[in-house]
Amino acid sequence: RARTALRQNKTLQKTELFKDLSTDAISKIIGVMEFRTFETASDLVTQGDTASEFMVIMKGAATVFKDGTKIRTFGCLDFIGEGALIEGDHVRGATVTATVPTQVLVLTYERYQELLLDGTIEQKTHEMAARRSKSYLLEDAKRADNFSFD
């Protein structure tokens, strides 16, 4: 059901990474995504860990913490970790913790690489996403420098 819902609501097409892909390519990506569940208070991702997965929350909610401070909340159809698919050495910039039982679909870096190699994801799409990812990292660093914990 989660895969069907993800196809119908076109969440992947709303991401910078996948917005230019065909419906067939999106279906193939969704088909290789793994379904996972997280209990309340479980971390979906942990700040400082190596990032190797992109997630879409299909049911539930999670809170984002940067250096222990609550930054925002994610809910149904929010996505986490586009940059993890682009750069092999990407590090999680925040911890995301389930606030209720949460279900996600996950695309791993390895699966993404397979889709890139077989042409499902075009090289030009990947290169464009890599450029955007670098600019996002710079923007995130600027935001962190200007963020006040007062």
Side-chain angles (χ1 to χ4, degrees):
R1 287 188 308 186
R3 285 182 178 80
T4 300
L6 192 55
R7 280 186 190 94
Q8 290 176 346
N9 62 46
K10 301 187 183 304
T11 296
L12 292 186
Q13 291 91 323
K14 296 172 188 170
T15 67
E16 286 296 320
L17 182 57
F18 301 124
K19 71 179 185 177
D20 295 325
L21 296 181
S22 70
T23 303
D24 288 342
I26 294 292
S27 284
K28 189 168 182 181
I29 292 165
I30 293 169
V32 301
M33 292 178 85
E34 300 171 13
F35 181 80
R36 294 192 195 152
T37 59
F38 294 88
E39 296 301 318
T40 302
S42 297
D43 291 341
L44 282 68
V45 302
T46 304
Q47 183 176 348
D49 283 358
T50 300
S52 61
E53 299 175 329
F54 166 79
M55 298 181 182
V56 180
I57 296 175
M58 300 308 300
K59 184 177 182 183
T63 301
V64 180
F65 296 95
K66 176 132 176 105
D67 299 323
T69 300
K70 181 179 176 180
I71 302 298
R72 66 171 290 191
T73 301
F74 283 135
C76 188
L77 303 179
D78 282 331
F79 47 89
I80 303 161
E82 256 182 298
L85 299 178
I86 303 303
E87 301 178 36
D89 60 351
H90 189 78
V91 175
R92 295 288 183 197
T95 296
V96 181
T97 305
T99 53
V100 296
T102 300
Q103 300 173 347
V104 299
L105 283 173
V106 178
L107 179 62
T108 65
Y109 179 80
E110 292 78 18
R111 288 288 194 173
Y112 175 83
Q113 290 298 312
E114 290 170 8
L115 295 166
L116 190 58
L117 286 173
D118 76 11
T120 300
I121 298 169
E122 294 180 25
Q123 188 63 37
K124 67 179 183 176
T125 299
H126 174 76
E127 290 168 2
M128 179 268 314
R131 285 190 300 276
R132 284 210 174 106
S133 178
K134 285 185 172 118
S135 71
Y136 292 155
L137 288 173
L138 292 172
E139 289 171 20
D140 286 348
K142 286 178 187 173
R143 272 196 296 274
D145 287 344
N146 295 325
F147 187 77
S148 171
F149 292 102
D150 297 331

